[in-house]
Amino acid sequence: MGVSILQTAAFINGEFSESETGASFPVFNPANGKEITRVADCSARDAERAIDAAAAAFKGWAHETADVRAAVLKKWRSAILEREEDLAALLSTEMGKPMAEALGEIRYGASYVEWFAEEARRVYGEVIPNASPSARTIVLKQPVGVCAAITPWNFPNAMLMRKAAAALAAGCTMVAKPAEDTPLSALAVAALAKEVGVPEGVFNVVPTSKPAGVGEVLATHPKVRKISFTGSTGVGRLLLKQASATVKKASMELGGNAPFIVFKDADFDAAIDGVMASKYRNGGQTCVCANRIFVHDSIVAEFSKKLAERVKNLRVGAGNETGVDIGPLINRTAIEKVERLVDNAVKDGAKCIVGGSRHEAGELFFQPTVLTDVLNQSEIAQSEIFGPVATIIPFSTEDEAIQYANETIYGLAAYIYTRDLGRAWRVGEALEYGMVGVNEGVISSAAAPFGGVKQSGMGREGSKYGLDDYLEIKYLCMGGLDR
Ligand SMILES: NC(=O)c1ccc[n+]([C@@H]2O[C@H](COP(=O)([O-])OP(=O)(O)OC[C@H]3O[C@@H](n4cnc5c(N)ncnc54)[C@H](O)[C@@H]3O)[C@@H](O)[C@H]2O)c1
Ligand SMILES: O=C[C@H](O)CS(=O)(=O)O
C-alpha cells in the first residue's frame, strides 16, 4: 500500500508539519465546488524555515556522487509510477482534468524524473588549452545551490517534477510553492520523496493561500540562489524584479499566445486533428494551446465547418466520469474571463458557430467553442484565453500569416501545417517563438528544451539544457606545471 499520498501539512526538512500559525486553507473540487480537504497555510516564517532546511541539506546533497543522486531519482520515479492511479485521481479531483489526461500528466512528470536521473551522470566539464605552456584551463560545472520553485495549477504534478528532477539531479536542493488551487499533487510527491529516501531538507513543499507573501520570501531570501517559476507573465515580471535584489538565477516559463497556421496545401484532416489536440487538451488550459488559428482564406470556410463538427462532439463533465473530454475550468475567475472574452469577441463581429456560453454540467464548465471571423488585434486574439475556445482568423499570404503570428508580446509555442518543406523552414525560422510544431499539435517532451522567448520567459526545461539551468560554470587555471 505504501505511504498515504493525501497529505495536508507542509513538507519541511523531511517532515510533514502544520504552519507555524496553525492556519489552514480549503482546497476545492472544481467539478462540484465541494471542499476536498484543508491544507496547512504556510507563512513567510514557514518559508524561511524551509529555506534554512534546504540550505542545511545542500552541501551533503551536492557532494553525493551523481550515481547516488541518479539512484534516488529513479526510486522516486518508480514510486510515482507505482501510485500513478492514486496520484491521477487526486490530481483530477483538485484540478478538474479528465482522468485519462491526469494519468498522462503523472506519466509525463515521471518522464522528467527519468530523464534527469540519466542526465545527472552526464554533467561533464572540459579542459581548454591554455596560452601558457605551463598552465591548463579546466572547466567544471557545480550545482547552483538552494532553488525556489513556484508552480501553476494547470499541471500541478508535471510542472513541479520538471523543476525538482533537474534541480536534484544537478545537486541542488529545493523549496517548492504549489498553486493554492492545487497543492495536493505537490504534497503527494513529497510523501513519495520521503518514502524513497530523498534526504531531509533536499525537497520541501510550502503550500499557502497567500502566494505574494511566501513568494516574496522565496524571491528575495539571500540563501536562495535560483528561482524557477511557471505561471503568468505578470507574476513572472514581479518575481524577476524581486529576485534582482540578490541577483538570483531565474528560469521563467510564462504565458503564451500560440498561433496555429494552416496553409492551403496542409493535410486538412491532420490539421483538424492537430487543432483538437492542441486547443482542447486540458480544456484549453495549457500555456502552449493553439490560441489563434490562422487558416488560409481559400479553405477557411470548409476548415471551420469540419472543426465545428468535431468540437460539438466533445463530451463535457467531471474528470472522474468515463469518456469525458473537457472538464471544468479551475475557478470562478477563470470562467468569468473566458465568458467575457467570448462575449466581447461576438460583440466585435466574430461569429460563434459552436458553443459560446457556460455548460449545464456545472458552475465552472464552459461549452467547447469555435469562433470565426476573429480579428488578430481583437481582445480575445491578444489574450491568453485559457479555455476551450478556438478563434479562427483568415489570412491570404505567407508573409501575412507570419506577421499576424508574431503580433503578440508572447513567444512560447507556435504550429504550422503545410506539406511544403521550403515553407516549413521559412515560416519556422521566421516565427518568434521558442518552440514550433510542424504538422504536429502536441510537441512537449522531457527530451526537448521547453521554453519561450519575448514575454513568454527565459531558460529551458527538459533536455540537456534544462540541467544547465541548475548548474554554475567555473574554471580552474592550473599553473606552474613546468616547476
Ligand atoms: N510556460 C509554461 O511552461 C507555462 C506552464 C503552465 C502555465 N503557464 C502560465 O501560467 C498561467 C496560468 O497559471 P496560473 O493562473 O496558476 O498563473 P499564476 O501566475 O496566477 O500563478 C502561478 C503561480 O504563481 C503563484 N503566484 C501568484 N501570485 C504570486 C505572487 N505575487 N508572488 C509569488 N507567486 C505568486 C501562484 O500561487 C501559483 O503558484 C498562464 O499564463 C499560463 O500560460 C505557463
Ligand atoms: O501548460 C503548460 C505545460 O507546459 C504544457 S505541456 O504539457 O508541457 O505541453
Side-chain angles (χ1 to χ4, degrees):
M1 180 63 188
V3 68
S4 169
I5 62 159
L6 179 58
Q7 300 291 339
T8 59
F11 185 66
I12 298 174
N13 202 31
E15 296 300 332
F16 285 99
S17 58
E18 296 311 311
S19 162
E20 52 107 19
T21 65
S24 64
F25 67 94
V27 182
F28 297 101
N29 179 342
N32 56 27
K34 289 181 180 164
E35 181 178 305
I36 303 167
T37 186
R38 296 185 69 85
V39 168
D41 199 348
C42 288
S43 64
R45 179 72 199 101
D46 292 311
E48 290 163 354
R49 198 157 58 85
I51 292 166
D52 289 342
F58 171 62
K59 191 167 283 185
W61 182 244
H63 283 90
E64 287 290 3
T65 63
D67 283 24
V68 165
R69 290 199 295 269
V72 170
L73 286 171
K74 286 174 182 171
K75 284 184 193 168
W76 200 13
R77 171 192 177 263
S78 299
I80 288 168
L81 292 178
E82 280 162 21
R83 306 294 296 275
E84 64 180 19
E85 291 285 346
D86 295 340
L87 291 167
L90 186 64
L91 192 157
S92 175
T93 303
E94 69 170 348
M95 188 264 148
K97 68 177 67 176
M99 260 301 283
E101 288 196 38
L103 194 55
E105 180 182 342
I106 299 301
R107 291 169 178 167
Y108 176 48
S111 73
Y112 281 96
V113 185
E114 180 182 32
W115 175 268
F116 284 113
E118 295 162 352
E119 286 300 297
R121 300 169 64 194
R122 291 171 184 77
V123 180
Y124 301 145
E126 59 190 324
V127 177
I128 302 172
N130 193 292
S132 161
S134 64
R136 299 290 183 273
T137 300
I138 296 157
V139 177
L140 44 109
K141 294 180 180 177
Q142 296 180 311
V144 169
V146 174
C147 299
I150 298 178
T151 53
W153 49 262
N154 63 339
F155 288 84
N157 171 283
M159 295 303 98
L160 173 59
M161 297 322 293
R162 82 181 178 191
K163 298 177 189 301
L168 271 56
C172 298
T173 55
M174 178 165 274
V175 178
K177 189 210 74 64
E180 50 276 20
D181 287 310
T182 56
L184 300 176
S185 295
L187 294 171
V189 293
L192 296 176
K194 179 179 173 72
E195 185 178 64
V196 301
V198 172
E200 293 172 1
V202 169
F203 178 67
N204 306 273
V205 178
V206 288
T208 182
S209 68
K210 306 177 196 64
V214 167
E216 185 175 8
V217 172
L218 296 176
T220 60
H221 198 292
K223 287 183 183 176
V224 174
R225 291 309 315 134
K226 175 185 171 74
I227 184 155
S228 181
F229 172 69
T230 297
S232 62
T233 294
V235 175
R237 292 188 191 111
L238 170 66
L239 292 171
L240 280 171
K241 203 177 294 179
Q242 291 173 336
S244 63
T246 49
V247 194
K248 293 180 184 4
K249 282 174 83 86
S251 292
M252 291 282 146
E253 297 291 350
L254 305 178
N257 183 352
F260 189 108
I261 308 171
V262 184
F263 288 97
K264 64 181 176 184
D265 68 302
D267 176 330
F268 207 91
D269 292 335
I272 294 280
D273 290 343
V275 169
M276 295 304 292
S278 171
K279 172 70 259 184
Y280 295 97
R281 177 164 70 105
N282 206 27
Q285 301 171 113
T286 92
C287 55
V288 292
C289 277
N291 207 60
R292 296 167 292 160
I293 302 164
F294 297 103
V295 183
H296 190 267
D297 49 22
S298 64
I299 58 168
V300 68
E302 186 191 357
F303 189 91
S304 303
K305 181 171 176 290
K306 270 212 157 182
L307 180 63
E309 286 163 11
R310 290 281 295 277
V311 172
K312 69 184 178 190
N313 291 327
L314 287 171
R315 290 149 298 179
V316 177
N320 63 351
E321 291 172 18
T322 307
V324 159
D325 300 305
I326 304 286
L329 296 183
I330 187 67
N331 55 35
R332 195 170 296 146
T333 304
I335 196 164
E336 287 169 356
K337 171 189 169 186
V338 171
E339 191 172 47
R340 174 176 54 77
L341 288 174
V342 170
D343 290 349
N344 289 348
V346 172
K347 282 192 195 114
D348 290 345
K351 293 186 185 58
C352 180
I353 60 173
V354 176
S357 56
R358 295 188 186 218
H359 192 279
E360 63 194 10
E363 186 193 353
L364 297 181
F365 291 85
F366 200 84
Q367 295 173 11
T369 296
V370 178
L371 301 178
T372 61
D373 300 292
V374 175
L375 300 175
N376 196 41
Q377 284 308 323
S378 62
E379 180 193 22
I380 196 167
Q382 292 301 316
S383 303
E384 187 174 34
I385 300 167
F386 242 60
V389 179
T391 59
I392 296 179
I393 305 171
F395 72 90
S396 303
T397 67
E398 184 178 293
D399 287 344
E400 186 178 56
I402 293 167
Q403 180 201 329
Y404 281 173
N406 287 336
E407 278 177 355
T408 171
I409 64 169
Y410 296 108
L412 193 60
Y415 307 89
I416 319 168
Y417 274 73
T418 177
R419 284 180 284 206
D420 178 330
L421 198 53
R423 171 172 284 150
W425 271 106
R426 288 192 305 273
V427 179
E429 290 181 341
L431 289 173
E432 299 163 357
Y433 292 82
M435 304 173 282
V436 180
V438 179
N439 299 324
E440 181 53 69
V442 179
I443 58 177
S444 310
S445 79
F450 187 103
V453 298
K454 294 166 71 175
Q455 298 192 38
S456 286
M458 60 187 71
R460 291 297 182 266
E461 297 194 301
S463 80
K464 66 173 183 174
Y465 303 100
L467 197 66
D468 289 344
D469 278 8
Y470 289 91
L471 294 167
E472 295 285 15
I473 291 175
K474 174 191 284 183
Y475 77 81
L476 308 182
C477 180
M478 308 292 282
L481 304 186
D482 55 351
R483 294 191 180 87

